[in-house]
Amino acid sequence: MLNKLAASELVLNDDGSVYHLNLLPEDIADKIILVGDPDRVPKVSQYFDKVDIKKNKREFYTHTGTLRGERISVMSTGIGTENIDIVMNELDALVNIDLKNKEIKTEHKSLELFRMGTCGSVNPDVQVDNMLVTQNVVGLDGLMHFYQDYQFENEFSKSFLEKFPYDKIKPMLYFADWAEDMAYYYKDARYHGNTATFPGFYAPQGRQLRLKSLDDKFLETLNDLGITNFEMETSAIYAFSKLLGHKAITVNNVIANRRRGEFSSDHHASEKNLIEWVLERIIK
Ligand code: R1P
Ligand code: URA
């Protein structure tokens, strides 16, 4: 007999749906677009042929339907990797745990996850209102250190760790990369790069309003280590995908060029462009 997960561990709502996402296994497609902003969900699903499922709880909004005949979901994650901890565990539970019996299934199912977000570039030459696909990611949010078996190393991570000068935050770092066999979807993107994911928008990303951040040269230093852009979710999406056996790729709309002090003059227009660009590529 398999061990049953206790009610306190795999928490379900009264209708049997997973606790935060408020979804049943039949409510999601195998291809899922993840966006941060709940308002971006209808902006994506308006392109679907039809939407069959609309469910939400807190910041997690999901629409599932079909596009050119293929089943697809779009879901908002809200901001930050702490939300990604919930999204990835509950999405995985929907496909790899028998929710009725609360037992882990013997057969594994893999999801294709497409983060479609916004970011700030720290490479002065990466222009706003363009798409940047993440190949390597470094998480400075520490989340994956709470999971026993997460380990990842490649040439990028080795060289980054060797040169990273901030001893205070070094213990938080973890790394991951895209699902190589999903990279073909976005091979014609304007930019491919290395992303840093942070547990905040202001000092963690080197922004200083009334409070000082760690170092005035933070952006330049990270760019010198090979980082192209900053955002707040991809490290955990990529790392959980590796750990749980799913496939993920991120493309972000560059809305700020941090080195030049520029912000998009019309990020709604470039968001629309990004949505159409992604939908054209991930569903043939
Ligand atoms: C910060 O403004 C938010 O925008 C970015 C960051 O990762 C963070 O979630 O992504 P989204 O536009 O997908 O939310
Ligand atoms: N999202 C971020 O997290 N940072 C930026 O600079 C822009 C969008």
Side-chain angles (χ1 to χ4, degrees):
M1 251 256 307
L2 294 168
N3 282 340
K4 274 187 190 289
L5 294 159
S8 58
E9 309 308 295
L10 174 63
V11 184
L12 301 179
N13 299 310
D14 291 345
D15 64 354
S17 59
V18 287
Y19 184 53
H20 299 92
L21 301 186
N22 197 31
L23 296 170
L24 294 163
E26 59 267 32
D27 294 336
I28 56 163
D30 297 353
K31 272 187 183 169
I32 303 175
I33 296 169
L34 300 174
V35 299
D37 183 357
D39 286 346
R40 206 174 295 144
V41 170
K43 289 181 190 167
V44 174
S45 69
Q46 66 174 329
Y47 291 94
F48 293 2
D49 314 326
K50 61 183 173 74
V51 177
D52 308 309
I53 310 279
K54 284 188 181 182
K55 290 192 175 180
N56 68 283
K57 189 173 173 184
R58 297 181 186 245
E59 57 267 66
F60 308 111
Y61 282 71
T62 303
H63 290 181
T64 295
T66 53
L67 177 59
R68 296 187 274 283
E70 189 176 335
R71 202 146 185 269
I72 183 156
S73 297
V74 53
M75 172 185 295
S76 59
T77 65
I79 290 182
T81 55
E82 68 277 33
N83 277 4
I84 299 301
D85 182 61
I86 288 171
V87 168
M88 293 299 293
N89 275 290
E90 294 191 8
L91 277 181
D92 183 69
L94 285 170
V95 293
N96 288 316
I97 296 179
D98 176 342
L99 299 183
K100 290 201 176 76
N101 295 321
K102 297 203 166 195
E103 284 168 1
I104 295 166
K105 292 181 183 172
T106 46
E107 214 170 293
H108 177 266
K109 180 169 185 169
S110 179
L111 297 168
E112 284 194 323
L113 305 170
F114 301 86
R115 167 163 155 76
M116 190 200 283
T118 58
C119 70
S121 73
V122 290
N123 178 333
D125 300 329
V126 170
Q127 290 169 10
V128 295
D129 297 322
N130 279 282
M131 293 149 211
L132 195 157
V133 177
T134 302
Q135 178 168 1
N136 291 292
V137 65
V138 51
L140 290 97
D141 53 290
L143 177 64
M144 298 316 291
H145 293 293
F146 288 90
Y147 287 87
Q148 207 174 72
D149 295 324
Y150 186 69
Q151 269 168 13
F152 180 89
E153 197 182 76
N154 65 5
E155 287 311 310
F156 173 79
S157 73
K158 278 191 267 181
S159 111
F160 188 93
L161 264 180
E162 251 169 47
K163 298 183 202 144
F164 189 71
Y166 305 107
D167 289 343
K168 200 163 114 183
I169 50 180
K170 203 167 187 167
M172 297 176 199
L173 303 190
Y174 64 93
F175 297 85
D177 68 359
W178 61 13
E180 215 163 308
D181 55 350
M182 281 172 81
Y184 72 91
Y185 284 119
Y186 297 156
K187 56 182 181 304
D188 61 335
R190 170 114 187 238
Y191 302 115
H192 291 81
N194 303 316
T195 298
T197 296
F198 294 93
F201 186 79
Y202 290 96
Q205 295 187 28
R207 285 191 171 88
Q208 318 199 62
L209 302 185
R210 291 210 307 126
L211 300 175
K212 296 290 282 175
S213 80
L214 207 56
D215 178 7
D216 289 341
K217 292 263 171 267
F218 195 61
L219 307 181
E220 292 86 332
T221 303
L222 287 194
N223 187 210
D224 288 347
L225 296 184
I227 296 296
T228 40
N229 64 314
F230 288 3
E231 48 89 279
M232 297 175 65
E233 291 82 19
T234 296
S235 57
I237 293 173
Y238 278 15
F240 274 115
S241 295
K242 303 225 171 273
L243 209 49
L244 292 166
H246 302 295
K247 294 179 189 172
I249 194 156
T250 289
V251 59
N252 282 314
N253 184 21
V254 179
I255 56 169
N257 183 312
R258 303 288 312 288
R259 300 288 293 287
R260 294 184 188 275
E262 293 168 2
F263 193 80
S264 164
S265 57
D266 189 353
H267 62 282
H268 298 296
S270 51
E271 179 189 52
K272 182 172 184 285
N273 192 28
L274 174 69
I275 292 169
E276 291 176 358
W277 187 89
V278 166
L279 292 179
E280 213 169 280
R281 278 156 186 78
I282 68 173
I283 305 270
K284 291 297 168 196

